[in-house]
Amino acid sequence: MTARTRPDLESIPTYVPGRNFPGAIKLASNETTLGPLPSVAKAVAEAVELAHRYPDNRSTELVAALAASVGVAADHVAVGCGSVALCQELAQITCNAGDEVLYAWRSFEMYPIVTQVSGAVAVTAPLTSGHVHDLDALAAAVTDRTRLIFVCNPNNPTGTAVGRRALEKFLDAVPAHILVVLDEAYFEYMRFPADDFPDGVAIGRTRPNVVVLRTFSKAYGLAGLRVGYAVGDPSVISVLGKVHVPFSVNVAAQAAAIASLDAQAELLDRTDAIIGERARVRDGLLAAGYAVPESQANFVWLPLGTQAARFSTESAEAGVLVRPYGVDGVRVTVADPHENDAFLEFATTGPGSAGFAAATRSETQT
Ligand SMILES: *Cc1c(COP(=O)(O)O)cnc(C)c1O
């Protein structure tokens, strides 16, 4: 007889790793192409000398460095094993069985999973026909069971972002007892006019029900080491500590994150090259007739509808791995120029390109 596990977990899809083969151009996971800086690699090597000791469970030094970096006191910061772990912990501290977690769809694929794992009920609101968060629809979907709202800004997988004024209007409409998570995994890639720049930490300063999530996995290039962080009111941050899996941010991860903050200017400079490529990739697609929403992240979204799976299979056959999302579209990471060129060649000159471009136009209204 097999052991009894929760039957409600059966409907969570089993994780299927993305396809990969030697020589493939991997544009499927929004990683950076450059490896760690020498100073970061050195910090990791030194930290490994201490691998026989438990890590600092509270990541004291990293928390202090992050607090100084974003301009808050240390009790406003929590660190997690990737910001995905913090998403899960935020659901754990807000939801009992039957409570509601609200988010737009399509958005980050972890939201439905952490919701279900916590025993809560997912409630979704559609994106606009331009693939942007519909914050009015999201506010209208709040009920007296809503405990947690995820707003992914910029949104994964569509790349679109909402500005500061729109976010503040939304937050004004949400009851203050509901925790709102601004997931800013791609914060460093946003380019907005200064007066509308949606910096969640600034927005959250006067709103204790706002928690901001950021990560070292994307612009900081440490996806393999697993460090993310939350910035919020101490009343929320202290409760996060209660559900934290002990020692889950390891010594190498803490050291790498601290060294990366020391090299922050150099690492953030790298985002300018990606932003230049982001414009070039999108322009190339637009010129070939695709409808592509404006991206504020390190990827672009092709709203291919039912053509998504075929596009991704044919792209892989052309040596370029992209990420398909059901019958909604395909997300393509912006990477090095020669990799982006290989993708553009497939998407704009391949045999199916005219049909694919037409599919994106019929999935988009402007
Ligand atoms: C990549 C990503 C994360 C962060 O992932 P971690 O590697 O766990 O820090 C969080 N949210 C979104 C929307 C992402 O795309």
mmCIF file of all heavy atoms in Angstrom, residues 29-30 80-87 107-111 152-157 183-186 213-218 222-224 226-229 299 331, ligand 1:
data_model
loop_
_atom_site.group_PDB
_atom_site.id
_atom_site.type_symbol
_atom_site.label_atom_id
_atom_site.label_comp_id
_atom_site.label_asym_id
_atom_site.label_seq_id
_atom_site.Cartn_x
_atom_site.Cartn_y
_atom_site.Cartn_z
ATOM 1 N N SER A 29 14.776 30.891 -20.332
ATOM 2 C CA SER A 29 14.710 31.032 -18.870
ATOM 3 C C SER A 29 15.086 32.412 -18.337
ATOM 4 O O SER A 29 15.256 32.571 -17.124
ATOM 5 C CB SER A 29 15.597 29.972 -18.204
ATOM 6 O OG SER A 29 15.153 28.684 -18.565
ATOM 7 N N ASN A 30 15.196 33.395 -19.214
ATOM 8 C CA ASN A 30 15.482 34.781 -18.791
ATOM 9 C C ASN A 30 16.770 34.930 -17.986
ATOM 10 O O ASN A 30 16.909 35.832 -17.158
ATOM 11 C CB ASN A 30 14.304 35.369 -17.997
ATOM 12 C CG ASN A 30 13.057 35.477 -18.848
ATOM 13 O OD1 ASN A 30 13.138 35.395 -20.067
ATOM 14 N ND2 ASN A 30 11.913 35.648 -18.206
ATOM 15 N N GLY A 80 15.419 35.072 0.940
ATOM 16 C CA GLY A 80 14.883 33.728 0.718
ATOM 17 C C GLY A 80 15.682 32.964 -0.314
ATOM 18 O O GLY A 80 16.499 33.543 -1.044
ATOM 19 N N CYS A 81 15.423 31.655 -0.384
ATOM 20 C CA CYS A 81 16.083 30.761 -1.339
ATOM 21 C C CYS A 81 15.460 30.996 -2.714
ATOM 22 O O CYS A 81 14.612 30.245 -3.185
ATOM 23 C CB CYS A 81 15.903 29.317 -0.872
ATOM 24 S SG CYS A 81 16.602 28.112 -1.973
ATOM 25 N N GLY A 82 15.853 32.127 -3.331
ATOM 26 C CA GLY A 82 15.178 32.605 -4.534
ATOM 27 C C GLY A 82 13.908 33.327 -4.116
ATOM 28 O O GLY A 82 13.350 33.059 -3.044
ATOM 29 N N SER A 83 13.445 34.277 -4.944
ATOM 30 C CA SER A 83 12.216 34.961 -4.545
ATOM 31 C C SER A 83 11.009 34.050 -4.690
ATOM 32 O O SER A 83 9.957 34.294 -4.113
ATOM 33 C CB SER A 83 12.038 36.292 -5.275
ATOM 34 O OG SER A 83 12.080 36.122 -6.645
ATOM 35 N N VAL A 84 11.172 32.950 -5.432
ATOM 36 C CA VAL A 84 10.103 31.947 -5.497
ATOM 37 C C VAL A 84 9.783 31.396 -4.092
ATOM 38 O O VAL A 84 8.627 31.204 -3.740
ATOM 39 C CB VAL A 84 10.539 30.818 -6.457
ATOM 40 C CG1 VAL A 84 9.843 29.528 -6.162
ATOM 41 C CG2 VAL A 84 10.298 31.236 -7.890
ATOM 42 N N ALA A 85 10.826 31.153 -3.293
ATOM 43 C CA ALA A 85 10.589 30.664 -1.928
ATOM 44 C C ALA A 85 9.823 31.712 -1.126
ATOM 45 O O ALA A 85 8.950 31.373 -0.309
ATOM 46 C CB ALA A 85 11.915 30.326 -1.248
ATOM 47 N N LEU A 86 10.139 32.981 -1.374
ATOM 48 C CA LEU A 86 9.419 34.045 -0.653
ATOM 49 C C LEU A 86 7.957 34.125 -1.093
ATOM 50 O O LEU A 86 7.080 34.403 -0.274
ATOM 51 C CB LEU A 86 10.137 35.385 -0.849
ATOM 52 C CG LEU A 86 11.495 35.465 -0.127
ATOM 53 C CD1 LEU A 86 12.363 36.576 -0.706
ATOM 54 C CD2 LEU A 86 11.291 35.675 1.375
ATOM 55 N N CYS A 87 7.678 33.867 -2.375
ATOM 56 C CA CYS A 87 6.269 33.803 -2.836
ATOM 57 C C CYS A 87 5.514 32.757 -2.026
ATOM 58 O O CYS A 87 4.389 32.982 -1.558
ATOM 59 C CB CYS A 87 6.187 33.399 -4.309
ATOM 60 S SG CYS A 87 6.660 34.651 -5.493
ATOM 61 N N SER A 107 0.286 35.351 -15.936
ATOM 62 C CA SER A 107 1.374 35.955 -15.208
ATOM 63 C C SER A 107 2.341 34.845 -14.816
ATOM 64 O O SER A 107 2.368 33.783 -15.465
ATOM 65 C CB SER A 107 0.822 36.726 -14.006
ATOM 66 O OG SER A 107 1.820 37.530 -13.410
ATOM 67 N N PHE A 108 3.128 35.062 -13.775
ATOM 68 C CA PHE A 108 4.186 34.109 -13.396
ATOM 69 C C PHE A 108 3.576 32.748 -13.028
ATOM 70 O O PHE A 108 2.663 32.670 -12.209
ATOM 71 C CB PHE A 108 4.945 34.690 -12.209
ATOM 72 C CG PHE A 108 6.185 33.937 -11.804
ATOM 73 C CD1 PHE A 108 6.998 33.297 -12.726
ATOM 74 C CD2 PHE A 108 6.552 33.918 -10.466
ATOM 75 C CE1 PHE A 108 8.154 32.631 -12.333
ATOM 76 C CE2 PHE A 108 7.713 33.270 -10.062
ATOM 77 C CZ PHE A 108 8.507 32.622 -10.990
ATOM 78 N N GLU A 109 4.120 31.693 -13.628
ATOM 79 C CA GLU A 109 3.502 30.373 -13.475
ATOM 80 C C GLU A 109 3.602 29.797 -12.064
ATOM 81 O O GLU A 109 2.949 28.799 -11.766
ATOM 82 C CB GLU A 109 4.080 29.388 -14.491
ATOM 83 C CG GLU A 109 5.526 29.003 -14.255
ATOM 84 C CD GLU A 109 6.451 29.470 -15.375
ATOM 85 O OE1 GLU A 109 6.539 30.695 -15.607
ATOM 86 O OE2 GLU A 109 7.082 28.627 -16.000
ATOM 87 N N MET A 110 4.422 30.404 -11.201
ATOM 88 C CA MET A 110 4.501 29.916 -9.822
ATOM 89 C C MET A 110 3.303 30.354 -8.973
ATOM 90 O O MET A 110 3.041 29.760 -7.929
ATOM 91 C CB MET A 110 5.787 30.393 -9.139
ATOM 92 C CG MET A 110 7.041 29.672 -9.578
ATOM 93 S SD MET A 110 6.940 27.873 -9.415
ATOM 94 C CE MET A 110 6.791 27.733 -7.637
ATOM 95 N N TYR A 111 2.603 31.416 -9.365
ATOM 96 C CA TYR A 111 1.504 31.899 -8.507
ATOM 97 C C TYR A 111 0.416 30.846 -8.304
ATOM 98 O O TYR A 111 0.001 30.608 -7.157
ATOM 99 C CB TYR A 111 0.911 33.213 -9.029
ATOM 100 C CG TYR A 111 1.892 34.362 -9.172
ATOM 101 C CD1 TYR A 111 1.667 35.389 -10.086
ATOM 102 C CD2 TYR A 111 3.049 34.443 -8.390
ATOM 103 C CE1 TYR A 111 2.555 36.446 -10.225
ATOM 104 C CE2 TYR A 111 3.945 35.494 -8.528
ATOM 105 C CZ TYR A 111 3.696 36.486 -9.448
ATOM 106 O OH TYR A 111 4.577 37.533 -9.595
ATOM 107 N N CYS A 152 2.809 41.285 -10.785
ATOM 108 C CA CYS A 152 4.139 41.034 -11.338
ATOM 109 C C CYS A 152 4.473 42.197 -12.272
ATOM 110 O O CYS A 152 3.853 42.353 -13.323
ATOM 111 C CB CYS A 152 4.099 39.705 -12.106
ATOM 112 S SG CYS A 152 5.685 39.103 -12.645
ATOM 113 N N ASN A 153 5.442 43.024 -11.887
ATOM 114 C CA ASN A 153 5.703 44.263 -12.620
ATOM 115 C C ASN A 153 7.206 44.484 -12.785
ATOM 116 O O ASN A 153 7.886 44.789 -11.804
ATOM 117 C CB ASN A 153 5.080 45.439 -11.841
ATOM 118 C CG ASN A 153 4.892 46.660 -12.714
ATOM 119 O OD1 ASN A 153 4.417 46.545 -13.848
ATOM 120 N ND2 ASN A 153 5.236 47.830 -12.194
ATOM 121 N N PRO A 154 7.741 44.346 -14.001
ATOM 122 C CA PRO A 154 7.114 43.944 -15.263
ATOM 123 C C PRO A 154 6.559 42.524 -15.187
ATOM 124 O O PRO A 154 7.070 41.702 -14.430
ATOM 125 C CB PRO A 154 8.255 43.996 -16.275
ATOM 126 C CG PRO A 154 9.329 44.815 -15.641
ATOM 127 C CD PRO A 154 9.179 44.631 -14.175
ATOM 128 N N ASN A 155 5.525 42.283 -16.024
ATOM 129 C CA ASN A 155 4.841 40.996 -15.954
ATOM 130 C C ASN A 155 5.590 39.919 -16.732
ATOM 131 O O ASN A 155 5.940 40.113 -17.889
ATOM 132 C CB ASN A 155 3.417 41.146 -16.527
ATOM 133 C CG ASN A 155 2.581 39.902 -16.305
ATOM 134 O OD1 ASN A 155 2.598 39.328 -15.223
ATOM 135 N ND2 ASN A 155 1.846 39.476 -17.330
ATOM 136 N N ASN A 156 5.833 38.807 -16.057
ATOM 137 C CA ASN A 156 6.341 37.603 -16.712
ATOM 138 C C ASN A 156 5.111 36.757 -17.035
ATOM 139 O O ASN A 156 4.368 36.445 -16.104
ATOM 140 C CB ASN A 156 7.272 36.861 -15.733
ATOM 141 C CG ASN A 156 7.811 35.566 -16.298
ATOM 142 O OD1 ASN A 156 7.543 35.215 -17.442
ATOM 143 N ND2 ASN A 156 8.575 34.851 -15.490
ATOM 144 N N PRO A 157 4.842 36.374 -18.280
ATOM 145 C CA PRO A 157 5.720 36.378 -19.458
ATOM 146 C C PRO A 157 5.483 37.495 -20.470
ATOM 147 O O PRO A 157 6.114 37.449 -21.527
ATOM 148 C CB PRO A 157 5.370 35.044 -20.101
ATOM 149 C CG PRO A 157 3.900 34.915 -19.883
ATOM 150 C CD PRO A 157 3.644 35.549 -18.526
ATOM 151 N N ASP A 183 5.906 41.930 -7.392
ATOM 152 C CA ASP A 183 7.003 41.038 -7.778
ATOM 153 C C ASP A 183 7.841 41.752 -8.837
ATOM 154 O O ASP A 183 7.421 41.888 -9.986
ATOM 155 C CB ASP A 183 6.422 39.717 -8.300
ATOM 156 C CG ASP A 183 7.502 38.687 -8.622
ATOM 157 O OD1 ASP A 183 8.694 39.055 -8.759
ATOM 158 O OD2 ASP A 183 7.142 37.492 -8.750
ATOM 159 N N GLU A 184 9.004 42.221 -8.420
ATOM 160 C CA GLU A 184 9.863 43.022 -9.302
ATOM 161 C C GLU A 184 11.124 42.255 -9.697
ATOM 162 O O GLU A 184 12.242 42.792 -9.637
ATOM 163 C CB GLU A 184 10.228 44.344 -8.618
ATOM 164 C CG GLU A 184 9.008 45.211 -8.316
ATOM 165 C CD GLU A 184 9.356 46.574 -7.734
ATOM 166 O OE1 GLU A 184 10.469 46.729 -7.191
ATOM 167 O OE2 GLU A 184 8.511 47.464 -7.808
ATOM 168 N N ALA A 185 10.947 41.018 -10.153
ATOM 169 C CA ALA A 185 12.102 40.200 -10.545
ATOM 170 C C ALA A 185 12.912 40.861 -11.664
ATOM 171 O O ALA A 185 14.110 40.612 -11.798
ATOM 172 C CB ALA A 185 11.637 38.808 -10.974
ATOM 173 N N TYR A 186 12.246 41.706 -12.459
ATOM 174 C CA TYR A 186 12.915 42.331 -13.609
ATOM 175 C C TYR A 186 13.084 43.835 -13.424
ATOM 176 O O TYR A 186 13.248 44.580 -14.390
ATOM 177 C CB TYR A 186 12.132 42.011 -14.900
ATOM 178 C CG TYR A 186 12.010 40.530 -15.099
ATOM 179 C CD1 TYR A 186 10.884 39.834 -14.661
ATOM 180 C CD2 TYR A 186 13.053 39.792 -15.641
ATOM 181 C CE1 TYR A 186 10.789 38.452 -14.775
ATOM 182 C CE2 TYR A 186 12.972 38.424 -15.766
ATOM 183 C CZ TYR A 186 11.847 37.764 -15.331
ATOM 184 O OH TYR A 186 11.770 36.399 -15.446
ATOM 185 N N LEU A 213 9.184 42.101 -3.949
ATOM 186 C CA LEU A 213 10.117 40.980 -4.134
ATOM 187 C C LEU A 213 11.104 41.313 -5.248
ATOM 188 O O LEU A 213 10.696 41.747 -6.333
ATOM 189 C CB LEU A 213 9.360 39.707 -4.541
ATOM 190 C CG LEU A 213 8.446 39.077 -3.508
ATOM 191 C CD1 LEU A 213 7.843 37.789 -4.085
ATOM 192 C CD2 LEU A 213 9.197 38.779 -2.220
ATOM 193 N N ARG A 214 12.365 41.126 -4.962
ATOM 194 C CA ARG A 214 13.406 41.253 -5.993
ATOM 195 C C ARG A 214 14.336 40.049 -5.885
ATOM 196 O O ARG A 214 14.257 39.281 -4.936
ATOM 197 C CB ARG A 214 14.176 42.574 -5.840
ATOM 198 C CG ARG A 214 13.288 43.779 -6.154
ATOM 199 C CD ARG A 214 14.027 45.091 -6.139
ATOM 200 N NE ARG A 214 13.088 46.201 -6.218
ATOM 201 C CZ ARG A 214 13.350 47.451 -5.854
ATOM 202 N NH1 ARG A 214 14.560 47.762 -5.390
ATOM 203 N NH2 ARG A 214 12.435 48.398 -5.956
ATOM 204 N N THR A 215 15.203 39.907 -6.876
ATOM 205 C CA THR A 215 16.010 38.680 -6.930
ATOM 206 C C THR A 215 17.404 38.937 -7.486
ATOM 207 O O THR A 215 17.607 39.891 -8.240
ATOM 208 C CB THR A 215 15.303 37.619 -7.805
ATOM 209 O OG1 THR A 215 16.103 36.432 -7.844
ATOM 210 C CG2 THR A 215 15.098 38.111 -9.236
ATOM 211 N N PHE A 216 18.334 38.077 -7.110
ATOM 212 C CA PHE A 216 19.672 38.089 -7.701
ATOM 213 C C PHE A 216 19.751 37.171 -8.930
ATOM 214 O O PHE A 216 20.805 37.025 -9.525
ATOM 215 C CB PHE A 216 20.717 37.665 -6.661
ATOM 216 C CG PHE A 216 21.001 38.747 -5.646
ATOM 217 C CD1 PHE A 216 20.285 38.807 -4.454
ATOM 218 C CD2 PHE A 216 21.949 39.735 -5.898
ATOM 219 C CE1 PHE A 216 20.530 39.816 -3.532
ATOM 220 C CE2 PHE A 216 22.193 40.751 -4.989
ATOM 221 C CZ PHE A 216 21.477 40.793 -3.802
ATOM 222 N N SER A 217 18.628 36.547 -9.295
ATOM 223 C CA SER A 217 18.660 35.548 -10.374
ATOM 224 C C SER A 217 18.691 36.141 -11.771
ATOM 225 O O SER A 217 19.099 35.469 -12.715
ATOM 226 C CB SER A 217 17.430 34.640 -10.293
ATOM 227 O OG SER A 217 17.420 33.899 -9.110
ATOM 228 N N LYS A 218 18.211 37.354 -11.938
ATOM 229 C CA LYS A 218 18.051 37.876 -13.298
ATOM 230 C C LYS A 218 19.182 38.857 -13.601
ATOM 231 O O LYS A 218 20.251 38.429 -13.974
ATOM 232 C CB LYS A 218 16.649 38.472 -13.442
ATOM 233 C CG LYS A 218 15.523 37.488 -13.072
ATOM 234 C CD LYS A 218 15.318 36.399 -14.098
ATOM 235 C CE LYS A 218 14.575 35.166 -13.616
ATOM 236 N NZ LYS A 218 13.301 35.370 -12.966
ATOM 237 N N LEU A 222 22.788 35.491 -10.884
ATOM 238 C CA LEU A 222 23.094 34.427 -9.920
ATOM 239 C C LEU A 222 21.983 33.376 -9.830
ATOM 240 O O LEU A 222 21.735 32.819 -8.751
ATOM 241 C CB LEU A 222 23.332 35.024 -8.522
ATOM 242 C CG LEU A 222 24.538 35.960 -8.361
ATOM 243 C CD1 LEU A 222 24.621 36.463 -6.916
ATOM 244 C CD2 LEU A 222 25.835 35.246 -8.731
ATOM 245 N N ALA A 223 21.329 33.077 -10.950
ATOM 246 C CA ALA A 223 20.183 32.150 -10.912
ATOM 247 C C ALA A 223 20.541 30.816 -10.268
ATOM 248 O O ALA A 223 19.727 30.205 -9.578
ATOM 249 C CB ALA A 223 19.643 31.929 -12.326
ATOM 250 N N GLY A 224 21.783 30.369 -10.464
ATOM 251 C CA GLY A 224 22.179 29.061 -9.948
ATOM 252 C C GLY A 224 22.437 29.023 -8.454
ATOM 253 O O GLY A 224 22.581 27.938 -7.883
ATOM 254 N N ARG A 226 20.493 30.911 -6.039
ATOM 255 C CA ARG A 226 19.215 30.986 -5.335
ATOM 256 C C ARG A 226 19.181 31.999 -4.190
ATOM 257 O O ARG A 226 19.242 31.638 -3.012
ATOM 258 C CB ARG A 226 18.790 29.592 -4.789
ATOM 259 C CG ARG A 226 18.996 28.397 -5.698
ATOM 260 C CD ARG A 226 18.215 28.512 -6.998
ATOM 261 N NE ARG A 226 16.825 28.837 -6.767
ATOM 262 C CZ ARG A 226 16.195 29.874 -7.369
ATOM 263 N NH1 ARG A 226 16.823 30.662 -8.219
ATOM 264 N NH2 ARG A 226 14.939 30.106 -7.104
ATOM 265 N N VAL A 227 19.124 33.258 -4.527
ATOM 266 C CA VAL A 227 18.892 34.301 -3.515
ATOM 267 C C VAL A 227 17.892 35.325 -4.036
ATOM 268 O O VAL A 227 18.069 35.885 -5.121
ATOM 269 C CB VAL A 227 20.143 35.139 -3.151
ATOM 270 C CG1 VAL A 227 19.974 35.768 -1.765
ATOM 271 C CG2 VAL A 227 21.422 34.364 -3.243
ATOM 272 N N GLY A 228 16.852 35.562 -3.250
ATOM 273 C CA GLY A 228 15.919 36.653 -3.520
ATOM 274 C C GLY A 228 15.653 37.374 -2.215
ATOM 275 O O GLY A 228 16.092 36.933 -1.148
ATOM 276 N N TYR A 229 14.946 38.506 -2.293
ATOM 277 C CA TYR A 229 14.659 39.220 -1.047
ATOM 278 C C TYR A 229 13.320 39.932 -1.107
ATOM 279 O O TYR A 229 12.783 40.204 -2.185
ATOM 280 C CB TYR A 229 15.783 40.192 -0.680
ATOM 281 C CG TYR A 229 16.096 41.285 -1.683
ATOM 282 C CD1 TYR A 229 15.626 42.573 -1.497
ATOM 283 C CD2 TYR A 229 16.885 41.024 -2.800
ATOM 284 C CE1 TYR A 229 15.935 43.588 -2.399
ATOM 285 C CE2 TYR A 229 17.195 42.021 -3.696
ATOM 286 C CZ TYR A 229 16.716 43.304 -3.502
ATOM 287 O OH TYR A 229 17.019 44.299 -4.399
ATOM 288 N N PHE A 299 13.048 40.112 -21.870
ATOM 289 C CA PHE A 299 12.427 39.138 -22.778
ATOM 290 C C PHE A 299 11.319 39.835 -23.549
ATOM 291 O O PHE A 299 10.908 40.951 -23.176
ATOM 292 C CB PHE A 299 11.856 37.938 -21.999
ATOM 293 C CG PHE A 299 10.928 38.320 -20.878
ATOM 294 C CD1 PHE A 299 9.577 38.531 -21.109
ATOM 295 C CD2 PHE A 299 11.398 38.475 -19.580
ATOM 296 C CE1 PHE A 299 8.726 38.899 -20.082
ATOM 297 C CE2 PHE A 299 10.552 38.845 -18.544
ATOM 298 C CZ PHE A 299 9.210 39.055 -18.799
ATOM 299 N N ARG A 331 7.471 33.163 -24.917
ATOM 300 C CA ARG A 331 8.358 34.157 -24.310
ATOM 301 C C ARG A 331 9.779 33.884 -24.786
ATOM 302 O O ARG A 331 10.231 32.736 -24.765
ATOM 303 C CB ARG A 331 8.278 34.044 -22.790
ATOM 304 C CG ARG A 331 8.989 35.177 -22.033
ATOM 305 C CD ARG A 331 9.129 34.830 -20.566
ATOM 306 N NE ARG A 331 10.084 33.739 -20.403
ATOM 307 C CZ ARG A 331 10.239 33.046 -19.273
ATOM 308 N NH1 ARG A 331 9.491 33.295 -18.218
ATOM 309 N NH2 ARG A 331 11.142 32.081 -19.205
HETATM 310 C C1 LIG B 1 12.512 34.619 -12.261
HETATM 311 C C2 LIG B 1 11.362 35.148 -11.467
HETATM 312 C C3 LIG B 1 11.374 35.149 -10.075
HETATM 313 C C4 LIG B 1 12.568 34.800 -9.283
HETATM 314 O O1 LIG B 1 13.001 33.648 -9.229
HETATM 315 P P1 LIG B 1 14.123 33.207 -8.179
HETATM 316 O O2 LIG B 1 15.170 32.664 -9.042
HETATM 317 O O3 LIG B 1 13.417 32.230 -7.330
HETATM 318 O O4 LIG B 1 14.542 34.411 -7.392
HETATM 319 C C5 LIG B 1 10.310 35.672 -9.384
HETATM 320 N N1 LIG B 1 9.261 36.178 -10.020
HETATM 321 C C6 LIG B 1 9.217 36.206 -11.347
HETATM 322 C C7 LIG B 1 8.056 36.819 -11.992
HETATM 323 C C8 LIG B 1 10.247 35.683 -12.106
HETATM 324 O O5 LIG B 1 10.174 35.709 -13.436
#
